[in-house]
Amino acid sequence: GSSHDEQPLDFHVCCILQLYSANRMSRLTCISCCCWAAVLPLACASFLTETDDASMMQMQAEVRHVAKAPTFAVLLTTYNTEDREAMYMARLQWWLKKTKLPIFVVDSAGRGFSPSLSTIRSFKQLKFNQTNVLGHHVSSTEGELLSMQRAWEAFQDDWSKFDYVVKVTGKYVLPDLQSEMKQ
């Protein structure tokens, strides 16, 4: 098919972590799904201290004994260059129309997305130019890590309202994400 076709991925939970920030009394639970999603926030690791045995037991207990349905949001990471814009726009429109999940978008090309997409429903976006930080010859992994760090800095207060934040590369859609997360 064309590059504008939906590219669904099979969903599975690979990892669940509860990260406790040493300098804050809050926690952020993160998951990783599929091959292109990453545990969030990797950038937060620098804020964490070693966990004692009691805290580890508490973390395990909290993972096992979830009383209510968990809440989660989606972080879409993009590098929205002119040649990729139509693809990313189609994917973002899919996420906004086909899910009810809170959507956060980070664009590391610095272009962002049209505010007119908010007429579908609201979402939050962050844009920055990664070449100003990393230069022109950068690996996709370095770009992804910087995007997640910047997203964490910008959205951490919003994310504190959710049990999970699922990071998905912006060129993908996950049609079964909502139903799978309810299980």
Side-chain angles (χ1 to χ4, degrees):
S2 74
S3 64
H4 299 290
D5 293 339
E6 293 176 3
Q7 296 179 15
L9 296 175
D10 291 331
F11 175 81
H12 64 280
V13 173
C14 300
C15 182
I16 298 178
L17 297 175
Q18 291 195 335
L19 303 177
Y20 290 83
S21 175
N23 59 350
R24 302 174 138 227
M25 293 307 291
S26 62
R27 74 175 162 80
L28 177 65
T29 307
C30 310
I31 71 165
S32 173
C33 71
C34 304
C35 56
W36 292 108
V39 175
L40 281 179
L42 296 177
C44 179
S46 63
F47 300 116
L48 301 179
T49 60
E50 290 184 14
T51 308
D52 60 24
D53 290 338
S55 295
M56 188 62 74
M57 288 170 50
Q58 178 187 0
M59 288 169 35
Q60 291 171 349
E62 286 184 19
V63 170
R64 280 194 294 265
H65 302 292
V66 177
K68 63 175 181 62
T71 59
F72 59 101
V74 172
L75 170 65
L76 300 174
T77 57
T78 66
Y79 188 71
N80 189 23
T81 56
E82 206 170 306
D83 60 321
R84 298 177 180 183
E85 184 174 19
M87 174 197 59
Y88 282 134
M89 287 286 290
R91 300 309 186 274
L92 182 51
Q93 287 173 349
W94 183 92
W95 282 100
L96 294 171
K97 290 177 181 177
K98 302 286 186 180
T99 74
K100 293 180 174 30
L101 299 168
I103 302 293
F104 297 85
V105 179
V106 60
D107 174 38
S108 59
R111 299 179 71 229
F113 294 92
S114 170
S116 68
L117 288 171
S118 291
T119 61
I120 299 170
R121 69 180 174 93
S122 66
F123 67 99
K124 293 198 175 187
Q125 73 172 307
L126 167 70
K127 57 184 177 182
F128 73 96
N129 190 332
Q130 75 180 27
T131 57
N132 294 343
V133 179
L134 300 173
H136 290 283
H137 303 290
V138 57
S139 74
S140 60
T141 300
E142 291 173 302
E144 287 284 314
L145 288 173
L146 180 61
S147 289
M148 288 188 289
Q149 178 183 16
R150 293 286 175 96
W152 170 250
E153 291 166 359
F155 302 132
Q156 64 184 321
D157 290 338
D158 293 309
W159 290 352
S160 69
K161 300 170 190 158
F162 304 104
D163 296 309
Y164 301 96
V165 174
V166 181
K167 183 266 180 208
V168 180
T169 301
K171 63 183 174 180
Y172 297 107
V173 298
L174 301 173
D176 297 325
L177 178 65
Q178 284 182 272
S179 62
E180 290 291 330
M181 287 302 292
K182 290 178 183 174
Q183 296 180 6

